Amino acid sequence: MSFRLSYRADPGNPWFSWQYLRDNSDTLTVALRDHASLTARAVLIAALIAVPLAVVAYWFRPLAGPILAFTGVLYTIPSLALFAFIAPYLGIGTVTVLTVVVLYALLVIVRNTVAGLTQVPPEVREAAEGMGYGRWGRLFRIELPLALPGILTGLRLATVSTVALVTVGVVVGRGGLGQVIFAGFQNNFYKAQIMAGTLLCVLLALVLDLILAGVGRLLTPWLTRRSS
Amino acid sequence: MSVIEQAVVWLNDPLNWTNPGGVLDRLGEHLVLSAAAVALGCLVAWPIGLWLGHTGRAGGLVVLVANVTLAIPTLALLTILPLTFLGFGRPSVIVALAVFALPPLLANAYTGVRQADPEARDAARGMGLSGWQVLRQVELPLAVPYLAAGFRTAAVQVVATAALASFVNGGGLGQIIRAGFGLDIAAGGGQILAGGVLVAALAVSVEVVLALVERAVTPRQLRAARRGANRRAADAVAGG
């Protein structure tokens, strides 16, 4: 009596599989949306804190050193350690991930905004003063618009590194696409899943970067005109 | 008992330090992984960076490498590399960490050679030195402050990233934090915090020690340029 074993040849463990993407599109979409929303919220919150901080550092020069040093120290602390400091207090969840990621994004945005503000030519500042602009009027009408390229560079760098950093949120179970990557590793080293998570991560960073670059071009039309 | 008290208790238990897989073991692993990764990074990045700087070509490549590595999640490399020919264990972790050491090393080597005084370079050429000799005897010594700045940035970053090796059971101090999270916050909070303190303390002390080393290897005449070097190197990495 003979048996014919009718399984197909060993399915293997390919690095990339359309089959996987089709079968798991729901999970991947949820993770991608989660990742994108975490990133967007984090960069927004970080910008809302960092830009005023940079303005303070710009107005009161003696504070510039301490502000940059403080954000620099935050940046030196390893991300996993930051999670370890915050998780026991804020618990396991989105708030912890957001806090860590925001703290990291601060440095990049503060530094680039300060750089942008200090690059405003002194003649322009004096002319604005001569035209009767007050401190706030000058800030909103002259200095911040001229510092926009610096601020946008900061936002773009912060966004790209935030996309990568959110994956570390796996440690508290909210890593967006990091969950996909990590689960792929734990479930028998499922290469297609790891690769799908990684590629989506890199793509997300690229797309967000391009969007911000486009927004930057729209907001600073004078730069495009000058270079063309 | 508050989390901080738990952490103090955990740190004061000698067995937590000396047990197999205790703090001392993990610290050793952490340092070995980091040192190997930085060494590998230097071996790859410095020759390429110095040569590209010498020829003055492919500055865009340096920026590209920096930007691409910024977008790749550490977790992805740590999980992908063990499944390649590198296999599970230390080699794959070391290579993954070395990848993140590349941008600062490469950018600083490149900038360091590029910023060498063109007059010094011309004078050396005029004296009949070959391209290779110009690189070795003129550009390389002038680039030392930049190389040191890049080394420091890379080393601090690798030590910080090595904590993530614990995700793939790669060892290092991160294991203590991961084990704490495994216990659940209520029971492991102290251990999590203690691990965080250890990892952060290691990163900060590496930063401080290397800042001193960087100062020591920078000739006095070049010290004024050193601060500028840090800033410009940061700009180079930032793609600015």
Side-chain angles (χ1 to χ4, degrees):
Chain A
M1 205 174 164
S2 71
F3 288 100
R4 182 174 292 165
L5 293 173
S6 64
Y7 52 73
R8 271 177 291 161
D10 174 29
N13 187 3
W15 280 109
F16 190 83
S17 136
W18 289 110
Q19 184 68 39
Y20 169 79
L21 290 182
R22 270 197 299 276
D23 293 351
N24 296 276
S25 57
D26 290 348
T27 324
L28 288 174
T29 317
V30 169
L32 181 63
R33 200 178 299 147
D34 204 24
H35 205 112
S37 100
L38 273 172
T39 308
R41 275 185 283 170
V43 174
L44 199 66
I45 297 172
L48 288 179
I49 301 174
V51 173
L53 262 184
V55 171
V56 169
Y58 173 65
W59 275 351
F60 310 104
R61 288 299 156 89
L63 289 179
I67 287 178
L68 286 176
F70 172 69
T71 49
V73 167
L74 281 180
Y75 205 68
T76 311
I77 296 177
S79 51
L80 192 61
L82 218 45
F83 271 106
F85 291 151
I86 290 171
Y89 295 99
L90 295 184
I92 299 286
T94 317
V95 184
T96 305
V97 182
L98 267 182
T99 312
V100 170
V101 178
V102 164
L103 287 176
Y104 265 97
L106 279 184
L107 171 80
V108 186
I109 305 181
V110 167
R111 202 169 53 185
N112 280 287
T113 308
V114 169
L117 284 170
T118 46
Q119 271 166 10
V120 175
E123 327 58 285
V124 172
R125 206 173 301 143
E126 279 159 26
E129 223 164 301
M131 285 168 71
Y133 278 111
R135 176 174 258 192
W136 290 95
R138 207 172 57 187
L139 179 71
F140 284 110
R141 308 286 295 274
I142 313 284
E143 288 164 335
L144 280 181
L146 283 177
L148 257 183
I151 299 175
L152 282 165
T153 309
L155 283 182
R156 286 174 64 184
L157 283 171
T159 307
V160 172
S161 53
T162 298
V163 171
L165 193 61
V166 165
T167 57
V168 181
V170 164
V171 78
V172 292
R174 286 304 304 270
L177 291 165
Q179 295 303 130
V180 173
I181 299 174
F182 195 56
F185 188 76
Q186 288 192 317
N187 300 340
N188 289 323
F189 315 113
Y190 192 3
K191 288 178 183 169
Q193 183 169 346
I194 298 175
M195 214 35 153
T198 307
L199 287 178
L200 282 177
C201 236
V202 174
L203 268 180
L204 180 64
L206 190 72
V207 168
L208 290 177
D209 193 45
L210 284 178
I211 291 177
L212 279 176
V215 170
R217 277 175 79 101
L218 289 180
L219 286 178
T220 56
W222 61 90
L223 287 179
T224 343
R225 220 178 301 139
R226 193 187 301 158
S227 62
S228 63
Chain B
M1 201 159 53
S2 80
V3 182
I4 295 180
E5 282 165 342
Q6 284 176 3
V8 172
V9 169
W10 194 92
L11 284 173
N12 272 315
D13 185 345
L15 286 181
N16 282 337
W17 289 73
T18 51
N19 268 348
V23 174
L24 295 178
D25 275 5
R26 295 304 185 196
L27 179 65
E29 288 169 2
H30 205 109
L31 290 175
V32 168
L33 286 175
S34 307
V38 174
L40 179 62
C42 289
L43 273 179
V44 174
W46 276 351
I48 298 178
L50 289 172
W51 182 250
L52 289 181
H54 177 69
T55 55
R57 265 179 288 166
L61 177 79
V62 176
V63 175
L64 185 73
V65 168
N67 288 346
V68 169
T69 48
L70 194 64
I72 301 176
T74 318
L75 182 64
L77 272 192
L78 281 171
T79 50
I80 287 174
L81 287 177
L83 305 179
T84 62
F85 67 93
L86 289 166
F88 288 86
R90 287 205 174 159
S92 57
V93 174
I94 290 170
V95 171
L97 296 177
V99 168
F100 293 97
L102 288 182
L105 292 169
L106 198 59
N108 276 284
Y110 182 81
T111 322
V113 175
R114 288 315 300 156
Q115 58 75 47
D117 189 353
E119 289 178 17
R121 205 178 295 146
D122 287 346
R125 281 260 157 72
M127 284 165 68
L129 267 60
S130 69
W132 175 245
Q133 285 170 320
V134 172
L135 179 59
R136 267 224 38 210
Q137 297 176 16
V138 180
E139 290 170 335
L140 185 59
L142 286 173
V144 163
Y146 287 81
L147 293 179
F151 185 85
R152 174 177 154 198
T153 313
V156 172
Q157 187 163 357
V158 164
V159 167
T161 315
L164 298 181
S166 55
F167 281 123
V168 294
N169 255 323
L173 284 172
Q175 299 279 160
I176 296 171
I177 300 177
R178 286 275 298 162
F181 274 111
L183 288 175
D184 178 37
I185 290 278
Q191 184 179 344
I192 294 172
L193 197 58
V197 170
L198 291 170
V199 172
L202 181 64
V204 172
S205 32
V206 168
E207 164 93 20
V208 170
V209 168
L210 287 181
L212 295 176
V213 171
E214 187 188 332
R215 201 182 149 74
V217 300
T218 305
R220 190 166 298 130
Q221 295 85 339
L222 290 178
R223 266 185 207 157
R226 197 181 57 109
R227 296 177 65 199
N230 268 331
R231 211 178 42 241
R232 259 165 284 157
D235 288 347
V237 172

